[in-house]
Amino acid sequence: ALLVLGALSACTNKLAPAASKVFRDAVAPADPKATKETVALFRSMWNLQQKGIMYGHQDDLMYGRTWWYEKDRSDTKDFTGDYPAVAGFELGDIELGKSRSLDSVDFAQIAEQVKAHYKRGGIITLSWHLNNPLTRQLPDSGRKSKPTAWDVSSDKVVASILPAGENHALYNSWLDKLSLFFARLKDEKGTPIPFIFRPYHEHSGNFFWWGTPLSTDGQYAALWRYTVEYLRDKKGFHNILYAYNTDRTTSLQQYLKGYPGDDIIDMLSFDMYDRGPRFNAELDSALNYVTKTAIARKKLTGLSETGGRRGMENWWSTVLLPIVSKYPVGYTLTWRHTYNQRFAGSPTAPKPFPADFINFYNSPRSFFLKDIQDEDVYKSKSK
Ligand code: BMA
């Protein structure tokens, strides 16, 4: 994560006005009314993804294995001296009007940390493991399993929340609760904070109620379209970049199953965890077709969840980094370090990252917060 970006932004600033206009018109969020900070973020990410990969970490600012919500603390910073470029947060249970997420994180504190990370010049991504709106309503005695995002007991859920479905009003009320939270994400001047929203993720999998086997492609695309239109046109949010996301796929055709359209989506991303030696070839191949189609469509890219191979010491520097370096991948994020009270204060507590993570950090191709602060992704300094 060396500071290699200064030279580059200096060079784009030197473009002649005509050329820079062409450049400015070249890429933009799908929302024609996107706020200027959101447009700036989109363009900054577009530039950055051609130079290297930003590091992101889920709940990095909320807790680590040994600590719980300490102001300004971050596992990434503890280990490397710098914050992640991208901070991930999870909104599951917000739709039920709860004050804490399914991972016990206080939503007020999430809003606080979103603001803090934005102020530092960092990027925010929000995921949403929303409950199952159909089975949630059944009495306990009528449920086959817990009515969470992972409840795949019915293939009627997506249809039931679309405009003609019996749970449509309930779904709207869930989007209203989500919107109340989104409305809190403003800086001290009242400017809405741009963020990447990645709902209905890992679509190609079969483990969430919105997974591929549980709805038709048309229903899944309609769910996406309805959700974006509700938040964008009805609620008036123009600070959201929408990330389409799948789990592991093996072809572009499979990747795009149920894709709602380029007028809805800003980022093409997927999640892929390393479960064994086949990962190298699978990641390489998926990055190849996903980034190719993303660039052709002028969309951002992300390996929005990944994780190292069990028992492999140099995964960051010998597997992840060489493969992602072949393609324009905007960011990669590793998932949360679940807090465990047993570890708190214990000298034998596991370290947040393997030693090799420092090699990834030291690479000029990886970007952490300080690297992107130079790029001023929201163009706030030039305002
Ligand atoms: C999963 C796990 C769960 C968590 C969920 C939402 O992959 O980490 O423990 O509840 O993500 O953050």
Side-chain angles (χ1 to χ4, degrees):
L2 296 178
L3 301 175
V4 291
L5 299 169
L8 176 105
S9 54
C11 143
T12 36
N13 292 343
K14 271 187 220 141
L15 288 175
S20 67
K21 182 165 187 311
V22 170
F23 167 75
R24 272 208 313 275
D25 293 345
V27 295
D31 178 358
K33 292 194 191 154
T35 65
K36 61 179 193 303
E37 293 78 11
T38 310
V39 175
L41 175 63
F42 188 99
R43 290 184 178 151
S44 304
M45 290 182 75
W46 175 264
N47 287 343
L48 284 166
Q49 74 186 11
Q50 289 159 64
K51 289 162 199 104
I53 186 155
M54 291 190 279
Y55 174 67
H57 186 208
Q58 185 73 359
D59 274 349
D60 189 80
L61 307 174
M62 307 314 296
Y63 55 82
R65 292 192 179 103
T66 61
W67 57 276
W68 186 263
Y69 200 63
E70 295 174 24
K71 208 170 161 342
D72 299 331
R73 190 158 177 191
S74 139
D75 265 357
T76 305
K77 185 159 134 284
D78 282 1
F79 202 74
T80 67
D82 197 4
Y83 286 104
V86 179
F89 303 92
E90 163 62 32
L91 302 180
D93 279 4
I94 197 130
E95 68 280 5
L96 304 180
K98 296 200 176 169
S99 63
R100 303 204 308 169
S101 76
L102 78 167
D103 300 324
S104 308
V105 183
D106 196 292
F107 290 119
Q109 291 178 331
I110 293 182
E112 213 45 53
Q113 291 310 305
V114 165
K115 290 176 201 184
H117 201 61
Y118 174 72
K119 203 169 172 182
R120 293 179 195 120
I123 296 173
I124 289 114
T125 179
L126 304 179
S127 54
W128 189 26
H129 289 74
L130 70 166
N131 285 274
N132 184 319
L134 192 145
T135 57
R136 233 324 110 187
Q137 297 175 71
L138 298 173
D140 286 354
S141 58
R143 290 175 184 156
K144 293 187 191 139
S145 39
K146 278 195 181 166
T148 64
W150 292 267
D151 179 1
V152 292
S153 60
S154 166
D155 60 4
K156 308 268 181 300
V157 188
V158 173
S160 86
I161 59 177
L162 288 175
E166 71 273 25
N167 295 316
H168 185 58
L170 175 78
Y171 183 57
N172 286 345
S173 77
W174 284 13
L175 291 177
D176 290 342
K177 296 218 179 66
L178 181 71
S179 299
L180 286 176
F181 178 78
F182 284 176
R184 288 158 68 177
L185 307 180
K186 293 191 174 136
D187 70 7
E188 60 273 89
K189 289 189 210 132
T191 307
I193 296 174
F195 60 88
I196 302 161
F197 186 40
R198 189 172 63 95
Y200 304 121
H201 63 301
E202 301 182 354
H203 174 233
S204 60
N206 60 2
F207 36 82
F208 294 127
W209 56 257
W210 55 84
T212 301
L214 299 171
S215 64
T216 65
D217 295 352
Q219 286 166 346
Y220 181 76
L223 173 62
W224 251 108
R225 185 165 287 276
Y226 181 81
T227 304
V228 172
E229 286 173 356
Y230 196 91
L231 297 171
R232 186 191 63 194
D233 306 335
K234 189 157 192 277
K235 294 291 174 177
F237 292 111
H238 299 292
N239 55 323
I240 307 179
L241 296 177
Y242 292 95
Y244 175 78
N245 182 261
T246 68
D247 192 52
R248 180 178 255 89
T249 59
T250 52
S251 69
L252 180 61
Q253 191 201 16
Q254 187 195 2
Y255 178 78
L256 290 174
K257 253 179 91 58
Y259 180 67
D262 289 347
D263 58 329
I264 293 288
I265 295 298
D266 296 296
M267 175 184 282
L268 298 187
S269 68
F270 64 91
D271 297 357
M272 203 186 268
Y273 288 81
D274 189 338
R275 309 260 187 246
R278 281 198 339 215
F279 174 80
N280 299 37
E282 284 173 352
L283 177 66
D284 199 313
S285 152
L287 283 177
N288 189 9
Y289 56 73
V290 172
T291 59
K292 219 175 255 165
T293 196
I295 299 309
R297 295 160 191 265
K298 299 202 166 71
K299 301 296 174 192
L300 303 173
T301 62
L303 175 58
S304 32
E305 287 182 41
T306 190
R309 195 177 312 170
R310 196 167 291 180
M312 189 169 179
E313 270 175 23
N314 297 327
W315 182 81
W316 287 90
S317 60
T318 66
V319 175
L320 184 68
L321 192 59
I323 300 172
V324 295
S325 297
K326 292 170 67 178
Y327 303 100
V329 191
Y331 79 97
T332 190
L333 177 144
T334 51
W335 206 242
R336 70 202 193 100
H337 294 164
T338 315
Y339 173 74
N340 188 331
Q341 214 220 327
R342 230 164 17 100
F343 295 143
S346 150
T348 55
K351 295 255 178 304
F353 296 96
D356 183 47
F357 186 67
I358 289 292
N359 296 326
F360 175 78
Y361 172 76
N362 284 334
S363 163
R365 287 203 56 92
S366 71
F367 304 146
F368 286 65
L369 181 73
K370 285 178 194 155
D371 304 306
I372 70 158
Q373 278 173 333
D374 271 13
E375 176 81 10
D376 185 14
V377 294
Y378 305 105
K379 298 290 167 262
S380 47
K381 287 177 208 135
S382 55
K383 264 196 275 178

